[in-house]
Amino acid sequence: MKILTTGSHGLLGTNILPVLERSFTVIPYDIEEWDITDRDAGERTIRDIRPDVILNLAAYTNVDECEDCLSLADRVNAEAPGIIAKLCSDHNIKFVHISTDYVFDGEKETPYREDDETNPTSVYGLSKLSGEKKVLANCPDATIIRTQWLYGHGGINFITKITKIAREQGVAEVVNDQRGCPTYAKDIADPILLLIEKNRSGIYHVANAGSCTWFDFAREIFSCLHIDVVLKPITSEQLNRKANRPRNSVFDCSRLFRDTGHRMRTWQDALHDYLS
Ligand SMILES: NC(=O)c1ccc[n+]([C@@H]2O[C@H](COP(=O)([O-])OP(=O)(O)OC[C@H]3O[C@@H](n4cnc5c(N)ncnc54)[C@H](OP(=O)(O)O)[C@@H]3O)[C@@H](O)[C@H]2O)c1
């Protein structure tokens, strides 16, 4: 089977492609080969490559920047996935698209299920929700994987940022009023493979098991790495970022288990694996 991936040089692509390559012939495209907002480029790419599956990892992911760039967020995160979905439907290609916990407002007290009401509170979340809707309208057999709080090899992420601050300043202030599940990007690969293999469609929540706040996550990171640091809890209000983030975005991943038999490992096990 041939799988064409978009946005392949990003965080998720960097971490899952080596795993996907064990089961698929992977064609790893990024914006240089295929700007997903370009419909003609999409047509050409599909004609040239003739993939069995397209996995859309491309997105405009700078959540704060999106607040000032509505139109770009809409083009990349909503319009483009809709275009790819239509192409997949026309050419009988399986489409797998990635979405986010930011489609929820975070007001629910318990873990979010796939059919819970969405209500994004940021431009990024709105654009990603619009993308989900366009994908399913144009390609009802598509699979949408919502994930959250990703970290992994390559580039900058929460772990690299917070350890740099701790080592340089000896003190780190971390938000303690947002709860979610940190997820090792590599751990998304097996669910993708299984969902394709079992020909599942619709929306799936995929994240490492358990939950914590960013503060708890930082504490675990420093403990694993034996970094001596003064860790201070702060509120989202104190951090004062441009875009709003959900206070609770913990996922219920039982649909994934029901339909594939795959259980995600805990965020602590995944973190220890990553740091080792
Ligand atoms: N990271 C997270 O915590 C997280 C959480 C939940 C969901 N997700 C979702 O997971 C998916 C992958 O995210 P990620 O963290 O891997 O993002 P990322 O590191 O920002 O990677 C996205 C990739 O897409 C490329 N890209 C941007 N615009 C494009 C365009 N018009 N055409 C083609 N490629 C384009 C980017 O290229 P440039 O770098 O050159 O712009 C980059 O290589 C996204 O759908 C995201 O919404 C991520």
Side-chain angles (χ1 to χ4, degrees):
M1 282 238 272
K2 208 190 275 182
I3 183 166
L4 172 62
T5 56
T6 65
S8 310
H9 301 155
L11 173 67
L12 191 52
T14 303
N15 286 272
I16 65 172
L17 260 50
V19 183
L20 298 184
E21 276 161 1
R22 292 187 211 139
S23 308
F24 288 107
T25 302
V26 180
I27 318 290
Y29 275 16
D30 209 296
I31 193 161
E32 301 80 22
E33 295 86 14
W34 177 13
D35 177 338
I36 60 163
T37 61
D38 182 342
R39 187 189 302 265
D40 294 341
E43 283 276 9
R44 272 196 311 277
T45 302
I46 285 172
R47 242 193 349 258
D48 291 350
I49 306 291
R50 298 188 169 280
D52 302 291
V53 180
I54 293 181
L55 169 60
N56 183 32
L57 306 171
Y60 180 33
T61 57
N62 188 322
V63 175
D64 292 314
E65 232 178 67
C66 279
E67 293 295 309
D68 294 324
C69 303
L70 264 81
S71 132
L72 182 61
D74 190 62
R75 263 190 294 136
V76 180
N77 296 341
E79 293 297 330
I83 293 171
I84 307 174
K86 178 72 172 64
L87 289 168
C88 285
S89 180
D90 290 349
H91 294 268
N92 202 21
I93 296 166
K94 173 73 188 171
F95 185 38
V96 182
H97 176 67
I98 310 293
S99 191
T100 170
D101 54 333
Y102 284 40
V103 298
F104 296 116
D105 61 18
E107 295 303 318
K108 198 181 171 206
E109 300 290 333
T110 52
Y112 278 97
R113 297 171 66 93
E114 289 80 351
D115 45 12
D116 276 327
E117 196 184 333
T118 51
N119 184 29
T121 58
S122 62
V123 169
Y124 170 74
L126 276 163
S127 68
K128 293 292 289 184
L129 178 62
S130 172
E132 287 187 4
K133 289 180 176 163
K134 287 180 196 300
V135 165
L136 291 177
N138 291 347
C139 184
D141 289 338
T143 306
I144 295 177
I145 293 173
R146 288 190 190 134
T147 189
Q148 61 177 268
W149 292 29
L150 294 181
Y151 64 87
H153 299 285
I156 297 161
N157 59 53
F158 178 78
I159 299 177
T160 54
K161 272 192 233 165
I162 202 71
T163 50
K164 185 168 184 282
I165 290 171
R167 286 192 168 115
E168 286 175 3
Q169 300 172 17
V171 123
E173 295 185 332
V174 184
V175 167
N176 200 25
D177 61 359
Q178 290 169 29
R179 178 164 287 274
C181 193
T183 300
Y184 186 7
K186 188 178 89 170
D187 287 6
I188 309 297
D190 282 336
I192 291 175
L193 287 171
L194 285 164
L195 289 165
I196 294 171
E197 194 180 292
K198 294 181 183 294
N199 200 21
R200 299 293 180 182
S201 50
I203 300 176
Y204 286 86
H205 285 177
V206 180
N208 282 133
S211 74
C212 63
T213 66
W214 289 109
F215 178 84
D216 301 329
F217 187 39
R219 190 167 44 197
E220 189 71 18
I221 294 164
F222 295 141
S223 153
C224 286
L225 295 175
H226 307 290
I227 296 176
D228 197 15
V229 56
V230 178
L231 189 55
K232 291 187 180 163
I234 57 167
T235 62
S236 307
E237 210 176 353
Q238 282 172 292
L239 189 62
N240 195 23
R241 294 177 90 173
K242 192 143 204 166
N244 199 39
R245 268 91 173 154
R247 294 296 160 100
N248 165 44
S249 61
V250 179
F251 279 165
D252 176 333
C253 298
S254 52
R255 181 177 287 176
L256 175 74
F257 179 67
R258 185 196 70 193
D259 288 358
T260 65
H262 184 79
R263 214 184 271 288
M264 298 295 285
R265 60 180 165 170
T266 63
W267 67 265
Q268 292 94 334
D269 283 352
L271 176 66
H272 291 214
D273 180 17
Y274 168 74
L275 292 176
S276 67

